[in-house]
Amino acid sequence: MKRAAVFFVTLAVCVSMTAQSVRSQWNGRTIAYLGDSITDADQLGRTNDTYWNIMVDMMGIKPLVYGINGHQMSQVKGQAEKLLEEQGQSFDAIMVFAGTNDFNSSVPIGRWFDTDTREVSRNGEMKTLLHRTHSFDSDTFCGRINTVLSYLKHEFPTKQIILVTPVHRAYAKFGEDNEQPDESYANEAGEFIDAYVECIKQAGNIWSVPVIDLNADCGLYPLDQAYSVYFRDSGKDMLHPNTDGHRRMALALSCRLLGIPVIE
């Protein structure tokens, strides 16, 4: 019964989200946003509003934006280093929203761990056991995520760290040398976008961080032309959400954040 009550309270809050801030544990808090073009502040005043700017009104959250157009997971650590240099510890949470460019660049999935055998004392007796360490192979997606989360966990142990899965993606053409098929096609590594989404979800358990599955929760599905109203250009950019698309993303993120604690 208690779980049902919490669900209906959360649902009522999410349904009532308007331009007024929702009262929650996130009011007045600051989130640092790391990621790619969908997070990049350069969109404001040029193409569309952004999910994090919309969440200022929805949730009363103050943004620190470090996402950069075209960045892959391998470059997110550099964004985090800049965050530490400029802000120190003067914020409340970090949101990492990346991975779609790793898919487009055909980065191999790789593995989470390297294994070997080592001797260790167990119940006062030396045993030879299988042992694992995180893989930090920068040429693989798992290795890149490990690198980012190892850095964030070490440098920001008192901050809430949140992973966000990429949204669905369809056809985009930004020039003769930058044409991207929709997600029904695998990349040149033979992987579909789903594999990268699943990796981010797995990373939540491996590194003990909450994951917001925006791929599922925001409802954006650009493979159907009916959803072109949520993207920048139905003919050549069904990859980047427009203002209405970002609003749907902001609604999904805001509802999920209601169930994620701020670390005090």
Side-chain angles (χ1 to χ4, degrees):
M1 291 297 292
K2 288 183 178 179
R3 289 184 179 180
V6 170
F7 169 79
F8 285 114
V9 168
T10 302
L11 179 63
V13 170
C14 291
V15 168
S16 68
M17 283 183 176
T18 64
Q20 300 298 316
S21 295
V22 172
R23 292 186 62 82
S24 78
Q25 71 273 26
W26 289 97
N27 291 153
R29 302 293 188 166
T30 300
I31 295 180
Y33 297 94
L34 313 181
D36 50 39
S37 58
I38 295 180
T39 299
D40 196 328
D42 188 49
Q43 298 171 92
L44 289 178
R46 187 176 65 85
T47 53
N48 51 258
D49 205 346
T50 61
Y51 68 90
W52 48 262
N53 193 47
I54 295 169
M55 287 167 65
V56 172
D57 290 330
M58 282 185 179
M59 297 284 285
I61 294 173
K62 302 172 185 177
L64 296 172
V65 183
Y66 287 85
I68 298 176
N69 179 35
H71 270 204
Q72 300 176 28
M73 191 66 74
S74 57
Q75 295 160 297
V76 170
K77 180 173 178 283
Q79 297 177 20
E81 289 171 340
K82 186 177 181 182
L83 168 66
L84 180 62
E85 178 184 352
E86 294 183 351
Q87 307 295 335
Q89 303 290 326
S90 60
F91 57 92
D92 300 290
I94 299 170
M95 187 174 287
V96 180
F97 184 14
T100 195
N101 290 323
D102 300 80
F103 162 76
N104 185 56
S105 296
S106 301
V107 175
I109 293 296
R111 60 184 181 275
W112 292 113
F113 300 101
D114 296 320
T115 59
D116 58 11
T117 55
R118 299 186 185 184
E119 284 199 346
V120 64
S121 177
R122 179 178 174 85
N123 298 328
E125 183 180 353
M126 295 304 294
K127 299 281 187 178
T128 300
L129 301 176
L130 192 63
H131 173 267
R132 69 183 185 182
T133 55
H134 289 99
S135 170
F136 295 106
D137 184 352
S138 62
D139 291 328
T140 70
F141 192 54
C142 289
R144 292 175 173 191
I145 296 174
N146 280 340
T147 298
V148 170
L149 290 179
S150 176
Y151 179 82
L152 294 180
K153 281 286 192 177
H154 182 74
E155 297 294 343
F156 306 106
T158 63
K159 310 302 177 187
Q160 184 65 274
I161 300 165
I162 303 164
L163 294 177
V164 180
T165 62
V167 297
H168 286 271
R169 46 181 294 144
Y171 179 78
K173 185 174 183 178
F174 307 114
E176 292 303 317
D177 60 347
N178 190 359
E179 184 177 19
Q180 304 177 27
D182 68 53
E183 67 177 47
S184 64
Y185 296 90
N187 60 21
E188 293 177 22
E191 301 286 356
F192 290 96
I193 185 65
D194 314 55
Y196 299 81
V197 172
E198 286 303 314
C199 274
I200 291 172
K201 291 160 72 173
Q202 290 170 13
N205 289 109
I206 291 169
W207 287 97
S208 189
V209 296
V211 178
I212 298 178
D213 188 6
L214 204 59
N215 186 265
D217 292 348
C218 73
L220 297 179
Y221 191 68
L223 280 79
D224 189 319
Q225 274 293 315
Y227 284 81
S228 63
V229 295
Y230 293 109
F231 289 83
R232 287 184 188 168
D233 190 314
S234 62
K236 59 183 181 181
D237 189 358
M238 292 287 282
L239 175 64
H240 295 100
N242 59 20
T243 295
D244 287 337
H246 274 266
R247 185 171 293 110
R248 285 192 67 154
M249 291 162 55
L251 281 166
L253 289 166
S254 296
C255 285
R256 293 304 184 193
L257 279 173
L258 293 176
I260 296 176
V262 178
I263 306 302
E264 300 289 355

